């Protein structure tokens, strides 16, 4: 008889996300065990406690999800977990801090689909600006678009130093070519979007970052995407269910379309479910991050 399917969720935060717990059960895990307040130096001991009670054959029924909120800390934890494996005692690992990797994958897959459908363009060579770009979802979105060949800018509304620091950190970590920028006013934001093909908003829920008058300066705009489902929209004029809907902006851009948060959310949920199930189904350990999340989201859209 198969052993129960166990998912160990490791998080540096004081709590483990109820969203992740629910998703894991829905994906088919029999038990989901949360570990809050986990420090980086505790990862090796926890991982080895998870791998040694079962035979190598039965370990395919065990897996690890690394959560939290900071993408860099999550990546460091995954590296520590991999280093703690003692072949053939190994388990699969999924990194998805705050759902950022799967959400970012869904955003970029949806944007890419609209670029191809309405403009016959690829991400490679396009110009992408991400507002709220220094948060976990913004950073992951920037990494994915940059690795796909887009000229990517992360915008922080408080500090150019934060934006530049985040861009430099993930360029070092991931081999990307991301730029950082500062946008705290309508004038800043109008300048930032004026030459962009894609505008993405991953800012805090309930805060409108770009209003319609600012978007009138986005004369080259092809696709606008927003993940904010709580009114007001992060980008004015985008509705939750938009999926390639023509934008309402007074702009000279022709054929610009929008993608709303519920459209992105559907792809995000399917992507996370698919990755969780893949750990259950894998015969050998697999390691899943934003790269595999994006490949999966692409397939789903």
């Amino acid at each position: 008889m198969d052993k129960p399917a166990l998912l160990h969720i490791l998080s540096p935060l004081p709590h483990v996300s109820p969203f992740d717990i629910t998703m894991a059960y829905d994906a088919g895990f029999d038990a989901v065990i949360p570990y809050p307040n986990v420090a980086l130096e505790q990862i090796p001991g926890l991982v080895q406690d998870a791998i040694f009670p079962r035979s190598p054959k039965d370990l395919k029924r065990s897996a690890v999800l690394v959560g939290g909120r900071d993408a860099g800390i999550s990546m460091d934890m995954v590296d520590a977990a991999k280093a703690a494996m003692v072949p053939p005692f190994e388990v699969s690992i999924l990194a998805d801090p705050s759902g950022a990797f799967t959400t970012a994958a869904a955003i970029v897959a949806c944007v890419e689909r609209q670029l191809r459908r309405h403009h016959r363009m690829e991400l490679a060579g396009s110009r992408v600006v991400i507002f709220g770009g220094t948060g976990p979802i913004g950073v992951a979105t920037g990494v994915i678009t940059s690795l796909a060949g887009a000229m990517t800018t992360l915008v922080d509304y408080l500090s150019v130093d934060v934006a530049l620091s985040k861009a430099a950190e993930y360029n070092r970590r991931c081999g990307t070519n991301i730029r950082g920028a500062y946008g705290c006013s309508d004038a800043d934001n109008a300048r930032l979007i004026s030459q962009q093909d894609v505008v993405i908003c991953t800012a805090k829920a309930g805060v409108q970052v770009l209003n319609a008058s600012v978007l009138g300066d986005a004369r080259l705009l092809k696709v606008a995407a927003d993940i904010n489902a709580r009114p007001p929209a992060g980008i004015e004029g985008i509705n939750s269910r938009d999926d390639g809907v023509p934008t309402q902006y007074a702009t000279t851009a022709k054929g610009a379309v929008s993608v709303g948060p519920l459209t992105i959310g559907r792809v995000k949920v399917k992507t996370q479910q698919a990755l969780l199930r893949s750990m259950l189904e894998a015969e050998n350990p697999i390691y899943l991050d934003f790269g595999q999340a994006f490949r999966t989201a692409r397939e789903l859209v």
Side-chain angles (χ1 to χ4, degrees):
M1 182 178 296
D2 284 340
K3 299 282 188 181
L6 307 179
L7 182 66
H8 304 277
I9 303 183
L10 312 180
S11 173
L13 298 180
H15 63 273
V16 170
S17 167
F19 187 99
D20 289 339
I21 293 171
T22 302
M23 291 285 285
Y25 276 114
D26 288 350
F29 283 92
D30 299 308
V32 180
I33 306 96
Y35 303 80
N37 294 310
V38 175
L40 181 61
E41 60 269 19
Q42 295 173 311
I43 293 290
L46 288 169
V47 168
Q48 291 185 350
D49 279 351
I51 63 177
F52 286 135
R54 287 184 163 180
S55 69
K57 173 181 176 294
D58 290 328
L59 274 176
K60 67 182 181 180
R61 301 286 290 171
S62 296
V64 170
L65 169 62
V66 177
R69 180 159 180 80
D70 186 280
I73 292 173
S74 176
M75 294 166 73
D76 290 341
M77 285 186 159
V78 169
D79 289 342
K82 289 180 182 179
M85 303 293 181
V86 183
F89 293 91
E90 299 176 88
V91 294
S92 296
I93 303 174
L94 167 61
D96 199 17
S98 287
F101 291 176
T102 48
T103 301
I107 294 168
V108 183
C110 289
V111 165
E112 180 182 58
R113 177 173 179 254
Q114 300 305 335
L115 278 175
R116 288 172 172 169
R117 172 181 284 184
H118 293 279
H119 302 282
R120 297 184 181 180
M121 283 182 62
E122 297 295 330
L123 279 169
S126 66
R127 294 178 175 85
V128 178
V129 62
I130 303 165
F131 291 86
T134 55
I137 297 173
V139 164
T141 302
V143 169
I144 293 171
T145 56
S146 181
L147 290 176
M151 292 170 279
T152 301
T153 302
L154 304 182
V155 181
D156 189 273
Y157 76 98
L158 290 176
S159 168
V160 69
D161 291 334
V162 170
L164 294 173
S165 175
K166 285 287 185 183
E169 176 185 355
Y170 288 92
N171 288 341
R172 174 181 56 80
R173 284 181 179 274
C174 305
T176 50
N177 189 27
I178 299 168
R179 297 188 305 165
Y182 175 51
C184 71
S185 68
D186 285 351
D188 288 335
N189 294 340
R191 173 181 53 80
L192 286 165
I193 68 175
S194 63
Q195 299 297 313
Q196 304 296 322
D197 299 300
V198 176
V199 174
I200 297 170
C201 183
T202 63
K204 184 179 178 181
V207 176
Q208 187 168 98
V209 178
L210 300 173
N211 60 50
S213 64
V214 168
L215 286 153
D217 287 330
R219 295 179 176 86
L220 302 180
L221 182 66
K222 311 296 188 301
V223 182
D226 184 14
I227 66 165
N228 183 7
R230 184 195 307 168
I235 300 177
E236 185 177 0
I238 291 187
N239 294 313
S240 292
R241 291 180 171 81
D242 283 358
D243 186 10
V245 175
T247 60
Q248 306 170 24
Y249 316 128
T251 175
T252 56
K254 301 298 183 183
V257 297
S258 58
V259 181
L262 293 186
T263 297
I264 293 165
R266 284 194 298 272
V267 178
K268 178 267 192 298
V269 168
K270 290 179 180 178
T271 299
Q272 188 172 353
Q273 287 277 291
L275 295 177
L276 287 165
R277 284 195 299 269
S278 71
M279 292 197 293
L280 278 175
E281 296 165 359
E283 287 298 320
N284 298 302
I286 55 176
Y287 302 113
L288 308 171
D289 59 10
F290 54 82
Q292 184 57 50
F294 183 43
R295 289 188 288 274
T296 300
R298 268 178 157 170
E299 293 170 1
L300 289 169
V301 301

